[in-house]
Amino acid sequence: MSDKKKKSLGQRIKKALSGLKMSHFILLILLLLVVAGASTIGTVFLAATSGMPSLENNDITEYDVTSYIVDKDGSFVEKLADNSNFVDVDSNEISENMLNAVTSIEDRRFYKHHGVDPIRIAGAMVANLKAGQTVQGGSTITQQLAGLALLDRNEKTYKRKIQEAVLAIRIENKYSKDEILTAYLNRCYFGIGLSGKACYGIEAAANDILGKKASELTVTDSALLAGLIQNPTYWSPITDPDNAKVRRDTVLQAMADSGAISQDEADQYKQEPITTASIVQEDQNEKQSYNQSYIDYVVDEALEVLGLEQDPSKFYTGGYIVHTALDQDLQEYMYDYFNSDYYFPSGASYDYLQGAMVVLNTNDATIAGMIGGRHQEEGQERGLNRAYQTTRQPGSTFKPIFDYGPAFEAGKGTGTVYKDAVYTTADGHTIKNADLEYHGNVTIRYALEQSLNTVAARCIEEIGPEKGLEFAKKCGITSLVENSDDGVTDATISAGLGGLTKGVSVLEMAGAYNCFASEGIYTEPRAITKITNEDGDIIWQEEPESHRAMEATTAYMVTSCLQSVVTDGIGRYGAISDGRPTAGKTGTTDNTKDLWFCGFTPQYVGAVWLGYDTPATIYSTSDAAARVFSSIMSHLHAGLDVENFQEPDGLTAVTVDTKSGNLATRSTPSAYRSTEYYKSGTEPTTYSTNSYSSYQYSSGSSGSSASGTTGGTGYGTGTGTGGTTGYGTGTGGTTGTGTGTGGTTGYGTGTGTGGTTGYGTGGTTGYGTGTGTTSGNTGYVGQ
């Protein structure tokens, strides 16, 4: 033989060996038995089969089953799909034509071998050597099934091929040929169907490629689908009909060679063109678009708890029943509300104003409803969910979390007084109130009611921003920056005003506010309560992460102040329609680029954010977010019992002078008296020494008709008919100063008919001589 021929033959052998499928390694093992001896082969065999799956713990007849989500009542929410289509069928639901086609092309000796076919392996090796490349495989259908059902399909090693062979023999001993072939056809991947989904199993392929059932497949249909198994992309009839016809005709010829059909029939069938047909598959459980934001979160949560982030398909086709806390009535209402432009303001952007909301059950922090955006594309899956995937600056909604919660933990009370005036921090930063108005000494309650920035800044600087950061972390805020490499930190006064490095998510804010509603206990918000299989066996049970974030007394004091925000402060639009106890806080960032409202009742917590994806000015105030909260929560609470927030042990309520923070005295005007809460043992014990003679008073806003002049005070003896409070001697009342018919209080000389408080000039307040005819509230012009 010439060197040229020797070289050519050598190259052919080298090429054939390099392209040799690993399944052919089994034959090499047989040769090694002769060459290396039983001892060496035993070692190789034991190493290859170590860690191999056991049939005792695996059933090849259990196929991938689509997972489902159910709501809080166990009602269907959605069938999950990872862009795939799977339907399993019994053996009697598969056409005989399909059985003949797949055995003819994949394993002609299927009914004769016992899992491994040495004759097939040897024949494949000879054919591949002659061709100089891989043209035939040596694996039987049973070996392929073992790989599909029990082994890692991505592993391409000799060890895997040996394991396939061993498992195939065991499968043949345990299952009938009919069960094996049915299991194989239910597991095969047939490529992408007309729906755009991946088809797993013969029924899905028949439906999505040919518009038929597996039981209806003709000879040509069966040859077409059987030909897809080894390379469904290359031979797809949808993307390349010409290639598909070549492969189909190859299968038809194989059927003729095996005797399944005659040669004349094969020749006749080869003349038929390739046809596909789209179908509309009816789904008894129609997908509801209003659930999509919630479903997206459930999928992410399920992948995490099941440890399937790197292999989502196992979740979608694992037959899981995912039980959630979803309230579908609430979810639908939220979806419709957020997609109505009537309820949302405009702004300096041509895009839709976006929004997000999370509603939690206060008793266990489970998510009852979630909206991740407005006007999202119909049917969009796994899109941007602004409820938990984005962070924005929280504005003043962060004050209870970063400022006042830590202050109460440190021994402050709701009546602790701080000065409301322009404040300059130690680093020279000037803090002002949003409305540029200031009120002198005020309580923490009043500062929260009116969202006074200067008080929040003074408070957190006194307590220490580090304590604010630690408190917020305990409340579940995970996006805070502590100590970055470049020195950036959120342990700042700015953070106490809602200016954070990264911002917070709506879900985080809902979880943090739930601490206040739940007597200081933080429970990580979650949608899933448990995951079971179709038989109801629990696969995963939620054990919520809970810890005490603050003392119960702290939570109640914050809650009490936040109730005042809704009843008397800037959060009035967050009130629920039936007037039930509600606590909440507004939030607005610079140039009104973000609007927030976070609030709660004893039953539910709600957090609302409005803004543009690319921040731009919104032509509104935080009232817009408060209205969203009010509407959603009013719908949710309709028909529910009215519950009150429960005051915990360890609190003491005292009446304080709101200008000094000390205990009020008899001389403290009613407008400066307020009942406030303190952790027992921290309440003030010193009485106020404030003298209110130096304050100037203005007439009350409710007074309607009055005349008189304000002047100095006059304390003398007079008659007070029906009056409650005063100085001197009076008839019909406790005491009186001057004449106050029917009036509660009178200072100086004057007549106040029907007035609640008469300090002279008519109406509600004033010092001096005057006449008042209509009762009023009280109005003071003071510090």
Side-chain angles (χ1 to χ4, degrees):
M1 182 180 296
S2 67
D3 291 340
K4 184 176 181 180
K5 289 184 178 180
K6 288 180 180 179
K7 185 177 180 181
S8 177
L9 178 59
Q11 289 175 338
R12 291 176 62 192
I13 293 174
K14 183 178 180 181
K15 184 177 181 181
L17 288 175
S18 65
L20 189 63
K21 278 196 170 183
M22 284 179 288
S23 62
H24 302 159
F25 190 67
I26 297 171
L27 185 58
L28 298 180
I29 291 295
L30 297 175
L31 295 174
L32 285 174
L33 284 170
V34 178
V35 176
S39 176
T40 303
I41 295 306
T43 301
V44 173
F45 182 81
L46 288 175
T49 56
S50 62
M52 187 171 63
S54 170
L55 287 184
E56 294 180 1
N57 302 321
N58 296 279
D59 187 348
I60 64 166
T61 64
E62 291 183 356
Y63 317 117
D64 290 341
V65 178
T66 301
S67 298
Y68 292 85
I69 294 175
V70 297
D71 66 12
K72 65 183 181 66
D73 300 317
S75 298
F76 175 86
V77 174
E78 187 180 0
K79 178 176 68 175
L80 296 173
D82 183 18
N83 201 31
S84 61
N85 186 9
F86 174 83
V87 184
D88 68 282
V89 288
D90 295 331
S91 59
N92 60 3
E93 298 176 285
I94 302 175
S95 166
E96 188 73 21
N97 295 321
M98 188 64 203
L99 302 178
N100 290 333
V102 75
T103 53
S104 296
I105 193 64
E106 292 294 325
D107 189 357
R108 192 176 301 175
R109 289 172 43 81
F110 174 71
Y111 291 101
K112 296 179 180 179
H113 64 67
H114 297 286
V116 178
D117 189 357
I119 296 176
R120 176 176 171 82
I121 294 174
M125 288 188 65
V126 171
N128 293 336
L129 285 170
K130 287 182 177 180
Q133 60 183 338
T134 301
V135 294
Q136 289 186 22
S139 295
T140 64
I141 283 177
T142 315
Q143 286 175 263
Q144 293 180 56
L145 175 60
L148 289 171
L150 303 172
L151 300 173
D152 182 358
R153 299 176 65 182
N154 294 321
E155 185 180 357
K156 304 295 184 183
T157 64
Y158 294 136
K159 177 180 178 179
R160 180 180 185 275
K161 303 309 293 186
I162 293 173
Q163 288 183 347
E164 276 187 4
V166 174
L167 287 170
I169 294 172
R170 293 178 180 177
I171 289 172
E172 291 274 352
N173 290 332
K174 184 175 181 179
Y175 298 95
S176 68
K177 290 289 187 179
D178 182 55
E179 289 174 321
I180 293 170
L181 190 54
T182 301
Y184 176 72
L185 287 172
N186 270 315
R187 289 183 182 275
C188 282
Y189 173 56
F190 290 88
I192 305 299
L194 289 161
S195 66
K197 294 184 177 182
C199 298
Y200 288 93
I202 186 59
E203 181 72 4
N207 292 346
D208 210 0
I209 296 174
L210 299 174
K212 297 182 179 181
K213 295 181 179 180
S215 60
E216 301 170 341
L217 296 175
T218 64
V219 171
T220 52
D221 294 335
S222 300
L224 177 67
L225 296 182
L228 293 175
I229 293 174
Q230 293 305 320
N231 196 332
T233 300
Y234 184 73
W235 289 311
S236 171
I238 297 173
T239 59
D240 197 333
D242 293 335
N243 265 0
K245 186 177 185 306
V246 171
R247 179 60 175 169
R248 183 205 65 180
D249 292 349
T250 299
V251 178
L252 288 171
Q253 187 57 53
M255 293 177 73
D257 294 341
S258 68
I261 59 175
S262 67
Q263 186 62 54
D264 289 342
E265 288 175 316
D267 293 340
Q268 180 181 348
Y269 290 136
K270 290 177 184 178
Q271 303 305 311
E272 294 185 12
I274 295 294
T275 58
T276 59
S278 61
I279 62 170
V280 177
Q281 298 184 32
E282 295 183 1
D283 191 343
Q284 294 179 349
N285 298 306
E286 182 182 354
K287 177 180 176 179
Q288 302 297 338
S289 59
Y290 57 77
N291 288 324
Q292 193 59 56
S293 290
Y294 196 98
I295 291 168
D296 289 345
Y297 183 78
V298 168
V299 170
D300 283 347
E301 186 177 302
L303 292 175
E304 179 182 355
V305 301
L306 294 173
L308 297 176
E309 296 100 321
Q310 303 304 316
D311 194 358
S313 63
K314 288 185 178 180
F315 168 61
Y316 290 103
T317 60
Y320 297 108
I321 307 300
V322 184
H323 300 258
T324 71
L326 173 62
D327 182 329
Q328 289 202 75
D329 176 72
L330 166 67
Q331 185 69 25
E332 183 175 10
Y333 186 86
M334 292 171 67
Y335 178 85
D336 291 340
Y337 189 94
F338 269 76
N339 281 289
S340 173
D341 292 331
Y342 178 79
Y343 303 112
F344 294 86
S346 59
S349 174
Y350 291 108
D351 295 330
Y352 281 118
L353 177 68
Q354 279 301 334
M357 184 174 186
V358 172
V359 177
L360 304 180
N361 295 287
T362 57
N363 62 331
D364 58 6
T366 52
I367 303 172
M370 175 184 286
I371 292 295
R374 301 181 61 236
H375 297 296
Q376 293 178 300
E377 184 178 345
E378 193 76 17
Q380 179 183 7
E381 296 181 13
R382 310 303 296 280
L384 177 63
N385 191 318
R386 298 164 185 84
Y388 72 99
Q389 291 179 327
T390 61
T391 57
R392 297 294 285 260
Q393 299 302 323
S396 293
T397 55
F398 214 55
K399 290 175 181 175
I401 300 170
F402 200 93
D403 303 344
Y404 299 120
F408 295 149
E409 287 281 280
K412 306 296 182 182
T414 62
T416 298
V417 167
Y418 286 93
K419 185 177 182 179
D420 176 29
V422 175
Y423 180 61
T424 302
T425 64
D427 60 2
H429 185 65
T430 300
I431 307 295
K432 299 179 181 180
N433 291 334
D435 59 5
L436 301 181
E437 294 186 3
Y438 305 92
H439 309 79
N441 287 354
V442 297
T443 62
I444 286 179
R445 181 184 299 277
Y446 186 81
L448 257 175
E449 282 181 13
Q450 305 302 322
S451 198
L452 305 178
N453 292 334
T454 66
V455 174
R458 284 184 167 88
C459 178
I460 195 58
E461 184 160 70
E462 178 184 350
I463 300 303
E466 295 79 13
K467 289 186 178 179
L469 188 145
E470 287 302 317
F471 188 91
K473 285 171 56 182
K474 290 179 181 178
C475 292
I477 305 299
T478 62
S479 51
L480 296 170
V481 175
E482 293 188 71
N483 295 299
S484 64
D485 294 337
D486 56 3
V488 175
T489 178
D490 280 326
T492 62
I493 293 176
S494 177
L497 303 178
L500 305 177
T501 303
K502 296 180 180 179
V504 293
S505 72
V506 179
L507 181 60
E508 282 182 314
M509 291 299 288
Y513 269 69
N514 192 55
C515 291
F516 304 133
S518 302
E519 299 184 347
I521 300 297
Y522 172 78
T523 302
E524 184 178 8
R526 66 205 185 283
I528 302 173
T529 56
K530 64 180 178 180
I531 300 175
T532 67
N533 59 22
E534 289 186 309
D535 297 326
D537 300 323
I538 295 178
I539 297 172
W540 179 84
Q541 180 74 52
E542 171 64 15
E543 296 180 1
E545 187 279 321
S546 297
H547 62 259
R548 179 161 290 285
M550 67 193 79
E551 296 183 40
T553 52
T554 295
Y556 187 82
M557 285 189 281
V558 172
T559 297
S560 178
C561 290
L562 295 182
Q563 283 184 268
S564 296
V565 172
V566 175
T567 56
D568 303 311
I570 63 173
R572 291 184 178 89
Y573 287 107
I576 294 177
S577 59
D578 61 8
R580 68 179 61 227
T582 304
K585 183 68 186 75
T586 56
T588 307
T589 61
D590 290 345
N591 299 315
T592 62
K593 292 180 179 180
D594 301 274
L595 305 178
W596 290 80
F597 190 89
C598 299
F600 53 93
T601 69
Q603 292 113 315
Y604 292 98
V605 175
V608 178
W609 166 82
L610 304 179
Y612 291 100
D613 287 336
T614 300
T617 297
I618 305 168
Y619 301 149
S620 185
T621 67
S622 56
D623 291 347
R627 288 188 178 96
V628 174
F629 173 89
S630 174
S631 297
I632 301 297
M633 299 295 268
S634 293
H635 173 83
L636 177 59
H637 286 80
L640 295 182
D641 293 338
V642 174
E643 296 183 12
N644 294 308
F645 296 107
Q646 298 300 310
E647 181 180 332
D649 295 334
L651 278 177
T652 297
V654 296
T655 301
V656 300
D657 180 329
T658 59
K659 287 296 176 180
S660 68
N662 293 323
L663 296 174
T665 66
R666 292 177 59 191
S667 64
T668 304
S670 61
Y672 290 169
R673 302 168 68 91
S674 178
T675 299
E676 301 294 346
Y677 292 100
Y678 299 81
K679 182 180 177 180
S680 297
T682 65
E683 68 273 12
T685 56
T686 302
Y687 284 91
S688 177
T689 59
N690 274 359
S691 172
Y692 290 93
S693 61
S694 62
Y695 283 89
Q696 183 180 10
Y697 297 88
S698 66
S699 60
S701 59
S702 296
S704 63
S705 175
S707 63
T709 59
T710 60
T713 58
Y715 293 90
T717 302
T719 302
T721 304
T724 302
T725 309
Y727 288 84
T729 303
T731 303
T734 304
T735 54
T737 300
T739 302
T741 305
T744 302
T745 311
Y747 286 85
T749 302
T751 302
T753 304
T756 301
T757 305
Y759 293 91
T761 302
T764 304
T765 56
Y767 277 77
T769 303
T771 302
T773 58
T774 304
S775 63
N777 295 322
T778 305
Y780 291 85
V781 178
Q783 295 179 354

